[in-house]
């Protein structure tokens, strides 16, 4: 059996509603990662773009980064242990240093022709806007 080079602990975090959240503590991995310089937009900038439009809609791409597959060479670095066994992430996980910037870069590339004509993207929040209702239904 291959020995894990990277191994992150599991931590239990209490939530405000008295429930618990089980998280993987990627602080040591994140410290070793190279920072991605892709700029993240400011929420205020997105809202300023939408202001003045008659119609707009905000869409939540809830945990969309879970749709991004990890490179096979990097999966080993996300290793964590539970009572059920040893696991590695196959998709981007929340808590990794580059998850949000990677997601923002991919979404910006996908919707490049629509930004800023009638769409803005801020992490996993999508704002679609237009001057008239027909702009949103075409």
């Amino acid at each position: 059996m291959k020995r894990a080079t990277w191994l992150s602990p599991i931590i239990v975090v209490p939530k405000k509603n008295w429930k618990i959240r089980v998280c993987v503590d990627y602080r040591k991995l994140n410290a070793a990662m190279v920072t991605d310089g892709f700029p993240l937009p400011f929420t205020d900038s997105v809202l300023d773009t939408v202001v003045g439009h008659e119609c707009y809609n905000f869409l939540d791409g809830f945990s969309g980064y879970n749709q991004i597959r990890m490179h096979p060479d990097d999966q080993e670095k996300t290793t964590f242990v539970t009572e059920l066994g040893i696991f590695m992430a196959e998709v981007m996980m929340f808590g990794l240093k580059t998850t949000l910037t990677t997601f923002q870069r991919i979404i910006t590339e996908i919707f490049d022709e629509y930004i800023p004509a009638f769409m803005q993207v801020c992490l996993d929040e999508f704002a679609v806007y237009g001057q008239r209702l027909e702009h949103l239904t075409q």
Side-chain angles (χ1 to χ4, degrees):
M1 180 175 182
K2 185 177 177 184
R3 191 168 179 190
T5 305
W6 293 93
L7 186 60
S8 297
I10 297 289
I11 57 173
V12 177
V13 181
K15 294 167 56 175
K16 290 182 182 179
N17 63 3
W18 299 101
K19 293 184 179 184
I20 61 168
R21 173 176 289 143
V22 178
C23 303
V24 181
D25 183 359
Y26 284 126
R27 287 181 287 190
K28 287 184 180 178
L29 175 58
N30 285 337
M33 293 174 76
V34 176
T35 302
D36 184 350
F38 192 81
L40 295 175
F42 293 104
T43 305
D44 292 348
S45 300
V46 173
L47 295 175
D48 287 346
T49 304
V50 174
V51 168
H53 290 88
E54 182 179 318
C55 301
Y56 54 88
N57 195 353
F58 290 94
L59 309 167
D60 185 1
F62 178 74
S63 298
Y65 49 85
N66 290 139
Q67 306 296 317
I68 303 169
R69 299 205 53 82
M70 295 279 294
H71 190 282
D73 295 343
D74 293 330
Q75 290 178 6
E76 176 185 355
K77 296 171 185 147
T78 65
T79 303
F80 60 95
V81 178
T82 72
E83 291 177 353
L84 302 174
I86 300 171
F87 299 92
M88 291 184 272
E90 293 182 356
V91 297
M92 295 290 286
M93 293 183 65
F94 188 76
L96 292 175
K97 184 178 186 176
T98 59
T99 296
L100 296 177
T101 51
T102 299
F103 182 74
Q104 183 72 39
R105 179 189 311 278
I106 290 170
I107 292 300
T108 301
E109 288 174 9
I110 290 170
F111 293 109
D112 181 55
E113 65 182 289
Y114 307 123
I115 300 172
F118 61 87
M119 182 178 193
Q120 287 289 332
V121 180
C122 182
L123 303 176
D124 64 349
E125 302 294 327
F126 301 78
V128 182
Y129 48 88
Q131 291 301 330
R132 296 188 310 270
L133 183 60
E134 303 87 64
H135 290 156
L136 299 180
T137 59
Q138 292 180 354

